[in-house]
Amino acid sequence: MRQTWRWFGENDPVTLDHVKQAGAVGIVSALHHIYDGSAWPQAEVDRRRAVIEAAGLTWDVVESIPVRNEIKIADAGRDRAIASWTDSLRAVARAGVKTVCYNFMPVVDWTRTDLRWPLPTTGFALRFDAIDFAAYDIFVLERPDAEADYTPERVAEAKARLAILTPEQIATIERNLIAGLPATERKFDRPAFKQALLDFTSMSDDELRGNLLYFLKAVGPVADELGVRLAIHPDDPPFSLFGMPRIVSTPSDVRQILRAYDSPSNGLTFCTGSYGARADNDLPAMVREFADRIHFAHLRNVTMQPDGSFYEAEHLEGGTDMVAVLDAFLAEQQRRKDAGREDWLIPMRPDHGHLLADDIGKDRINPGYSLIGRLKGLAELRGIMRALGATKYPDLPLH
Ligand code: DNO
């Protein structure tokens, strides 16, 4: 697989030299300074590409072109918002980036309650605590009718939890949930967040899916024309939050998306950490089923806890059999190569990493996107790929 690395641009404390030291050869990036869904100017896109190439790397994947809320709620402005999105798509295609990740999560992008969960190793992990989340939703945010979305036992647990959380802890949970993790599109305060949720209170999964399909039917032909592979990122976590619909969480969701616009350009970002946070998702089986439409992989692992919480585990630990997942990816690469497909090499990035060693205590680290944790993850994944390649796919080039 092509070893890539997410880089947030010149403000990222992890430099392009660090990326090379970690052994990655490609970059995953976006214009994070223009992240409100307006069209990306060609000159800015070209500049980003030039910076990456000057360091001896290539810009392999755009992650992400933000999808404006008007599109998710089918508001009057949606066609204009889609036109801006395709303008950005054309700009990145002209700059030669042909794989584009995006997501269709309502209001909140990826969501965690705890960004510094102490591990027994003395490092720190990101974590989603299901009870903290419920406590915040029901008793702090006071979302109308929130209780109805939980079991009576969970409501009681949430109430008991609230009683022992300090005001500082509650403020931290709130900041983590609504004020934005790296690369989230919108940051809120409490009143604005409650207001934003109203757009989705009565929206069913099928309605949101309808809005995604409308979007795909509009952008799919443009992607076909440009030779761009679109790669939708799954919901993280893959279950409903704040009573909102979720449509990219399960194999059945994926089948509906792929069928809706049946072209290779309509594909997936296979994020093992997101899909892996549901016990009923069989990840190696999903990679095998959707293989020819997977254009990009995020590789990380999660450990599910009995109360529905999860934390980000070591890349090779946790609930997902990473060796089986990588085996399925290498088998797909072999199949593509044999079929003469030009896009046989699937880009992967080590997704997230623990906060470790000299990164602990640095103040500008993007949560999950530290250098050392990801470097370790990539090294472990590379070892598996090398071993599988040598024993099972000896004719498949490494890069
Ligand atoms: C979190 C990321 C997400 C992802 C977007 C893709 O670490 O995986 O922010 O980039 O959801 O659109």
Side-chain angles (χ1 to χ4, degrees):
M1 301 183 83
R2 187 159 174 87
Q3 296 171 31
T4 69
W5 187 277
R6 188 176 205 177
W7 187 61
F8 290 103
E10 280 132 318
N11 291 330
D12 193 329
V14 178
T15 66
L16 293 174
D17 282 349
H18 294 152
V19 174
K20 290 189 287 185
Q21 290 164 22
V25 290
I27 288 292
V28 174
S29 197
L31 299 191
H32 289 284
H33 56 291
I34 314 176
Y35 224 57
D36 60 356
S38 53
W40 289 348
Q42 187 71 50
E44 298 265 348
V45 172
D46 292 346
R47 212 186 132 266
R48 173 62 53 86
R49 173 184 162 164
V51 170
I52 292 168
E53 291 188 351
L57 295 158
T58 54
W59 187 1
D60 291 348
V61 180
V62 167
E63 176 179 353
S64 300
I65 302 182
V67 175
R68 284 184 72 97
N69 201 50
E70 288 92 321
I71 300 173
K72 295 176 192 159
I73 64 174
D75 180 80
R78 89 163 138 180
D79 290 334
R80 205 161 3 107
I82 291 176
S84 297
W85 203 90
T86 50
D87 283 348
S88 296
L89 194 69
R90 288 183 197 283
V92 300
R94 270 188 225 111
V97 189
K98 296 297 179 83
T99 304
V100 173
C101 170
Y102 68 100
N103 76 74
F104 218 78
M105 290 180 245
V107 186
V108 281
D109 189 317
W110 64 302
T111 304
R112 299 287 182 276
T113 57
D114 192 346
L115 309 183
R116 265 184 90 98
W117 191 63
L119 292 159
T121 62
T122 73
F124 297 90
L126 307 182
R127 181 164 180 272
F128 180 88
D129 187 300
I131 300 176
D132 283 351
F133 181 84
Y136 176 77
D137 187 21
I138 304 168
F139 302 113
V140 180
L141 187 64
E142 297 180 314
R143 179 171 63 85
D145 302 325
E147 276 194 34
D149 290 332
Y150 299 93
T151 61
E153 295 74 35
R154 181 48 44 98
V155 175
E157 287 166 332
K159 193 165 197 177
R161 176 66 57 84
L162 186 76
I164 56 165
L165 289 172
T166 64
E168 293 73 36
Q169 286 171 320
I170 293 172
T172 303
I173 292 169
E174 173 158 69
R175 202 171 46 245
N176 296 343
L177 289 175
I178 73 172
L181 293 176
T184 50
E185 289 148 31
R186 299 157 82 199
K187 300 187 195 308
F188 300 93
D189 59 16
R190 200 181 300 168
F193 187 68
K194 283 181 100 159
Q195 185 63 36
L197 291 180
L198 293 180
D199 283 338
F200 294 92
T201 17
S202 56
M203 192 185 283
S204 65
D205 284 357
D206 280 343
E207 271 175 88
L208 182 63
R209 200 179 333 267
N211 297 342
L212 170 60
L213 303 192
Y214 181 95
F215 171 75
L216 279 175
K217 288 195 172 114
V219 301
V222 182
D224 286 336
E225 169 206 323
L226 298 170
V228 168
R229 294 171 288 274
L230 304 176
I232 192 166
H233 188 282
D235 304 322
D236 182 3
F239 43 79
S240 172
L241 297 179
F242 301 112
M244 292 192 289
R246 279 303 210 199
I247 53 169
V248 198
S249 297
T250 64
S252 142
D253 290 339
V254 173
R255 284 181 207 118
Q256 296 183 63
I257 292 166
L258 297 183
R259 262 201 311 265
Y261 186 74
D262 197 7
S263 158
S265 69
N266 174 25
L268 309 176
T269 294
F270 197 84
C271 176
T272 54
S274 302
Y275 286 120
R278 272 183 83 109
D280 55 349
N281 281 342
D282 175 343
L283 270 67
M286 287 175 76
V287 177
R288 284 191 291 271
E289 177 175 350
F290 303 122
D292 66 337
R293 301 281 279 275
I294 299 178
H295 301 316
F296 180 33
H298 286 180
L299 300 179
R300 69 179 165 85
N301 226 318
V302 293
T303 296
M304 302 291 299
Q305 298 176 295
D307 65 3
S309 305
F310 62 84
Y311 67 90
E312 301 198 0
E314 311 268 338
H315 285 73
L316 304 185
E317 304 301 330
T320 295
D321 181 344
M322 199 57 87
V323 177
V325 164
L326 286 168
D327 193 10
F329 274 118
L330 295 186
E332 171 61 10
Q333 291 199 146
Q334 181 76 65
R335 200 191 60 76
R336 292 184 186 188
K337 187 109 186 57
D338 294 344
R341 251 171 86 163
E342 270 176 34
D343 64 343
W344 67 270
L345 194 56
I346 301 170
M348 58 70 75
R349 65 173 179 82
D351 197 12
H352 302 177
H354 290 163
L355 190 64
L356 304 174
D358 283 4
D359 282 341
I360 298 173
K362 284 194 184 154
D363 47 347
R364 284 178 51 238
I365 302 267
N366 287 308
Y369 291 94
S370 58
L371 168 62
I372 299 169
R374 282 187 292 165
L375 182 154
K376 173 171 178 258
L378 179 57
E380 294 179 348
L381 294 165
R382 180 188 299 126
I384 302 292
M385 292 191 275
R386 198 51 91 83
L388 280 172
T391 51
K392 293 188 69 178
Y393 310 93
D395 301 327
L396 191 64
L398 286 169
H399 317 285

